[in-house]
Structure formats: structure tokens, C-alpha cells
Amino acid sequence: MRESDCIFCKIAAGEIPSKTIYEDEKFRVILDINPATKGHALVIVKEHYENIYELPEDIAAAAMVLAKRLAKHMTEILKCDGFNIIQNNGKTAGQTVFHFHVHLIPRYEGDGNQEKMCWDHLELSQEELDDICQKLFQ
Ligand code: AMP
Ligand code: ZN
């Protein structure tokens, strides 16, 4: 399954060159072209799913296992001090390439980014928290 004008479908298929650091039958992992830090990589699912809502659960699970393995490997090789794993869904959430991918971002002390990527905190009342909690509880 792929989309003809999707850049990540083309990269995943090897039709557009990329700095690939890992590949298997389900995933290609490449260095981000505009990295947040040295080593910033993207786990790209080879099949085209726009976002996490479309992604089958077994592929979601495999993507997280791979992200975990690569976080360990990259931390050992790059000697980074911390690690962010980020995954954006929808324009409002910062997604710019609408083909599911997971960001692997090595973090270095003094790397110039905020300690956390990147939200302000809301102050919600107990009632508001209870309301959300009740709606979401399964
Ligand atoms: P997102 O904003 O979560 O959709 O992330 C998309 C990411 O893809 C951004 O960090 C871009 O820098 C990166 N990107 C876009 N085009 C390419 C490309 N051709 N090769 C590598 N990374 C890319
Ligand atoms: Zn695609």
C-alpha cells in the first residue's frame, strides 16, 4: 500500500536517496534532513498509513520495539545524554509529512533546545481533571 505522491513512500522504497541507518521488511530508519540534534532519525513504516489512527496495532507495536532498540544503540554510539521519542499526528500537532513516522531525537547537554520539547502547562481545576478523567476512563 502506497501513495504515488508521498515523499516517505518514495524514500521507504529507495526511490529517493536517504541516509538510511536501519532497514528491514517493515521499516526504513533515516536521518532527518532538518535535524533537531545530531543523529535525529525517523522510523518510517514502509506501507503508507497517514497517522496513528490508521496504523494497524501490530505495526504500532513493532515500531515502538524498534524505537526502543535504536534509542539504546544510538545512545551508545552517539554518547548522548538523553533521548526524545516523538510522533506527531495531524497538522495541529505539528505533522508535516502525512505518512506515519516516529522521531528519534538524541539529546545532548546544552544542545540548544529546551529541556522538554515543547509545551506550556495548563492549570486545570480538580473538577476539570475529574471531568476529563471520567470521559476517558475505559
Ligand atoms: P513531522 O513534522 O512529524 O511530520 O516530521 C517530518 C520530518 O521529516 C521533519 O523533521 C522533516 O525535517 C523531515 N523530512 C522531510 N523531508 C525529508 C527528507 N526528504 N529526508 C529526510 N527527512 C525529511
Ligand atoms: Zn506514504
Side-chain angles (χ1 to χ4, degrees), residues 26-27 43-45 55 57-70 85 100-102 104:
K26 282 202 190 79
F27 302 101
V43 175
I44 299 176
V45 176
L55 193 70
E57 286 189 355
D58 61 328
I59 302 181
M64 184 49 92
V65 170
L66 180 56
K68 185 235 171 338
R69 277 183 40 209
L70 285 167
I85 295 177
F100 181 89
H101 56 280
V102 179
L104 306 176

Side-chain angles (χ1 to χ4, degrees), residues 2-3 6-10 47-49 98-99:
R2 57 173 290 169
E3 293 243 319
C6 171
I7 187 164
F8 279 7
C9 280
K10 290 180 182 150
E47 290 201 344
H48 183 90
Y49 301 102
F98 295 89
H99 173 130

Side-chain angles (χ1 to χ4, degrees), residues 5-132:
D5 60 353
C6 171
I7 187 164
F8 279 7
C9 280
K10 290 180 182 150
I11 288 174
E15 293 164 16
I16 292 178
S18 63
K19 307 280 187 209
T20 295
I21 63 168
Y22 175 86
E23 185 179 9
D24 63 24
E25 71 280 2
K26 282 202 190 79
F27 302 101
R28 182 188 288 270
V29 183
I30 67 168
L31 295 183
D32 195 293
I33 203 169
N34 284 129
T37 64
K38 279 186 188 167
H40 181 172
L42 304 170
V43 175
I44 299 176
V45 176
K46 285 192 172 175
E47 290 201 344
H48 183 90
Y49 301 102
E50 186 168 320
N51 52 38
I52 200 155
Y53 308 114
E54 291 190 355
L55 193 70
E57 286 189 355
D58 61 328
I59 302 181
M64 184 49 92
V65 170
L66 180 56
K68 185 235 171 338
R69 277 183 40 209
L70 285 167
K72 185 164 184 288
H73 171 67
M74 290 165 73
T75 298
E76 281 167 9
I77 301 291
L78 298 171
K79 314 245 179 290
C80 56
D81 305 302
F83 211 93
N84 291 117
I85 295 177
I86 295 176
Q87 197 277 308
N88 301 322
N89 299 283
K91 193 162 165 264
T92 306
Q95 187 175 10
T96 57
V97 177
F98 295 89
H99 173 130
F100 181 89
H101 56 280
V102 179
H103 292 259
L104 306 176
I105 307 180
R107 299 301 304 276
Y108 307 88
E109 274 181 36
D111 65 18
N113 289 291
Q114 295 171 324
E115 280 176 21
K116 287 184 222 157
M117 296 182 177
C118 54
W119 52 82
D120 296 327
H121 295 272
L122 286 177
E123 287 194 16
L124 294 185
S125 66
Q126 287 303 316
E127 290 72 29
E128 288 170 309
L129 289 171
D130 283 342
D131 181 49
I132 296 163

